[in-house]
């Protein structure tokens, strides 16, 4: 790890928990705040200015901020968009600040493309919970008998999930169910599925070279003004993916221990375990040590995946980003 504990602790007091602007470059723009990203929609230019904040979401709620999380996520997405543009077009236009991506505005497909290579998960909707409760088909894929938690599936599977309205939980469905719902055309689905499978194979291969397992991931795609399907939002980040260390995975699987993970599973475990919270009622306040440990893991994921040192920008983020974007309140 290239970042000292001193810097991580100092950053606790100046994480980016949101942005206050109403105009960019002197033009008033409508905004949409997701759980993690503040988006400013520039219809005139056909662009979406995405500010990746340090907010962490778990169990479909925002639970607090993690030092440097926005920078890590945005720079990892930048890395992966650069390295996969030969496989599928994506929305990235430019990155004017470590926390900001300017993207082509697209019409999102109303479905998330989830690729899974392992029988795992902790939430009630995960493939592992379904299997544990006796299900031997998941989203239309049949699963072999006798599998153990965290074991590799015979082959990666696509398990689409319908995007719920804000505050609701997403639902996993089979291809047939999804098409029967009439939310997406068969042609769009086939293109999106082909892209998801190819990106996941490339992501797994790169992760393996870096000593990691990309266990599962989620893609969002949209239709751009020319009608093409492009990858939007984020890609292969620790928020949208499960990353495990490959080195001791076999031994841990054999012992029945959880894989060592680099994603936000660490925070989910603290929330569900020590804090006894899994989404109902107001979230607990994360202690500094949990926030710092989560930051270490996000930064480690960046460094392991990209093979480069993370360059933390420690300038106060709101003023810095405002200067980069010409943003005003
Ligand atoms: N290029 C794009 N064009 C249009 N929408 C996009 C694009 N890239 C990302 N988005 C949307 O911007 C938002 C990003 O915010 P964020 O990831 O914080 O949202 P979220 O909390 O995951 O989802 P929700 O939309 O349910 O709030 C998402 O709604 C995502 O679908
Ligand atoms: Mg999102």
């Amino acid at each position: 790890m290239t970042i000292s504990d001193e810097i991580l602790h100092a950053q606790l007091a100046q994480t980016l928990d949101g942005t206050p602007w109403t105009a960019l470059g002197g033009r008033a723009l409508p905004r949409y705040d997701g759980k993690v990203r503040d988006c400013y929609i520039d219809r005139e230019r056909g662009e979406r200015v995405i500010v990746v904040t340090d907010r962490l979401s778990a169990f479909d709620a925002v639970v607090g901020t993690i030092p440097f999380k926005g920078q890590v996520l945005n720079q990892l997405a930048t890395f992966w968009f650069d390295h996969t543009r030969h496989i599928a077009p994506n929305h990235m236009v430019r990155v004017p600040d470590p926390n900001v991506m300017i993207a082509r505005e697209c019409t999102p497909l109303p479905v998330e493309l989830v690729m899974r290579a392992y029988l795992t998960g902790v939430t009630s909707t995960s493939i592992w919970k379904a299997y544990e409760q006796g299900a031997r088909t998941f989203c239309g894929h049949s699963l072999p008998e006798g599998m153990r938690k965290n074991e590799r599936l015979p082959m990666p599977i696509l398990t689409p999930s319908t995007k719920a309205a804000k505050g609701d939980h997403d639902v996993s469905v089979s291809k047939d169910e999804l098409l029967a719902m009439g939310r997406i055309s068969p042609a769009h689905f086939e293109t999106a599925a082909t892209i998801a499978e190819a990106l996941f194979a490339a992501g797994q291969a790169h992760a393996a070279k870096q000593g990691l397992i990309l266990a599962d991931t989620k893609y969002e795609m949209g239709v751009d003004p020319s009608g093409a399907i492009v990858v939007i939002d984020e890609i292969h980040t620790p928020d949208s993916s499960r990353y495990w260390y490959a080195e001791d995975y076999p031994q841990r699987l054999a012992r029945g221990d959880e894989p060592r993970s680099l994603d936000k599973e660490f925070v989910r475990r603290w929330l569900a375990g020590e804090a006894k919270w899994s989404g109902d009622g107001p979230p607990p306040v994360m202690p500094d040590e949990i926030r710092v440990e989560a930051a270490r893991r996000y930064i480690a994921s960046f460094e392991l995946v990209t093979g480069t040192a993370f360059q933390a920008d420690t300038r106060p983020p709101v003023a810095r980003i405002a200067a980069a974007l010409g943003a005003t309140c």
Side-chain angles (χ1 to χ4, degrees), residues 32 35 59-61 164-170 279:
Y32 170 84
K35 289 185 284 292
F59 302 114
D60 285 333
K166 216 169 181 171
D168 279 349
H169 297 284
D170 297 350

Side-chain angles (χ1 to χ4, degrees), residues 37 218 220 233-234:
R37 281 153 256 270
K218 173 210 81 174
E220 292 190 33
D233 204 46
E234 60 183 332

Side-chain angles (χ1 to χ4, degrees), residues 103-323:
R104 249 180 314 153
E105 175 71 0
C106 299
T107 307
L109 298 180
V111 56
E112 297 188 338
L113 295 122
V114 181
M115 291 295 308
R116 303 173 193 261
Y118 289 78
L119 186 68
T120 189
V122 282
T123 61
S124 55
T125 53
S126 69
I127 188 171
W128 163 246
K129 289 289 173 200
Y131 191 89
E132 197 183 21
Q133 284 158 20
R136 290 298 176 267
T137 55
F138 191 77
C139 298
H141 303 278
S142 56
L143 304 172
E145 279 300 330
M147 286 191 71
R148 284 184 301 155
K149 186 174 186 202
N150 301 324
E151 216 178 319
R152 193 187 179 118
L153 297 167
M155 59 169 72
I157 57 173
L158 172 63
T159 64
S161 119
T162 60
K163 278 187 87 172
K166 216 169 181 171
D168 279 349
H169 297 284
D170 297 350
V171 184
S172 294
V173 289
S174 69
K175 170 184 167 181
D176 292 346
E177 285 164 337
L178 183 70
L179 293 180
M181 290 161 89
R183 295 176 126 214
I184 179 172
S185 73
H188 276 170
F189 179 79
E190 287 313 328
T191 306
T194 304
I195 290 174
E197 283 158 12
L199 288 176
F200 190 55
Q204 285 193 299
H206 176 82
K209 273 196 265 165
Q210 303 298 111
L212 296 171
I213 293 172
L214 179 60
D216 51 41
T217 197
K218 173 210 81 174
Y219 303 102
E220 292 190 33
M221 296 185 205
V223 183
D224 80 358
S226 76
I229 302 262
V230 304
V231 185
I232 64 169
D233 204 46
E234 60 183 332
I235 170 172
H236 300 167
T237 71
D239 271 14
S240 66
S241 319
R242 256 193 200 87
Y243 280 106
W244 295 336
Y245 286 93
E247 188 187 33
D248 54 357
Y249 164 79
Q251 294 86 326
R252 297 180 75 92
L253 180 73
R255 284 202 304 266
D257 290 343
E258 288 296 316
R260 278 197 301 137
S261 72
L262 268 173
D263 47 70
K264 66 183 184 184
E265 196 82 356
F266 161 77
V267 181
R268 282 200 207 100
R269 274 190 208 135
W270 177 81
L271 289 165
E274 217 162 306
K276 299 191 177 28
W277 182 84
S278 47
D280 295 319
V285 176
M286 284 188 287
D288 286 355
E289 214 20 75
I290 297 292
R291 295 171 70 206
V292 166
E293 179 55 26
R296 285 192 197 104
R297 288 171 187 237
Y298 274 101
I299 292 167
S301 73
F302 175 89
E303 298 193 332
L304 284 168
V305 166
T306 66
T308 59
F310 175 65
Q311 309 285 345
D313 194 324
T314 54
R315 289 174 292 169
V318 174
R320 187 194 76 218
I321 299 169

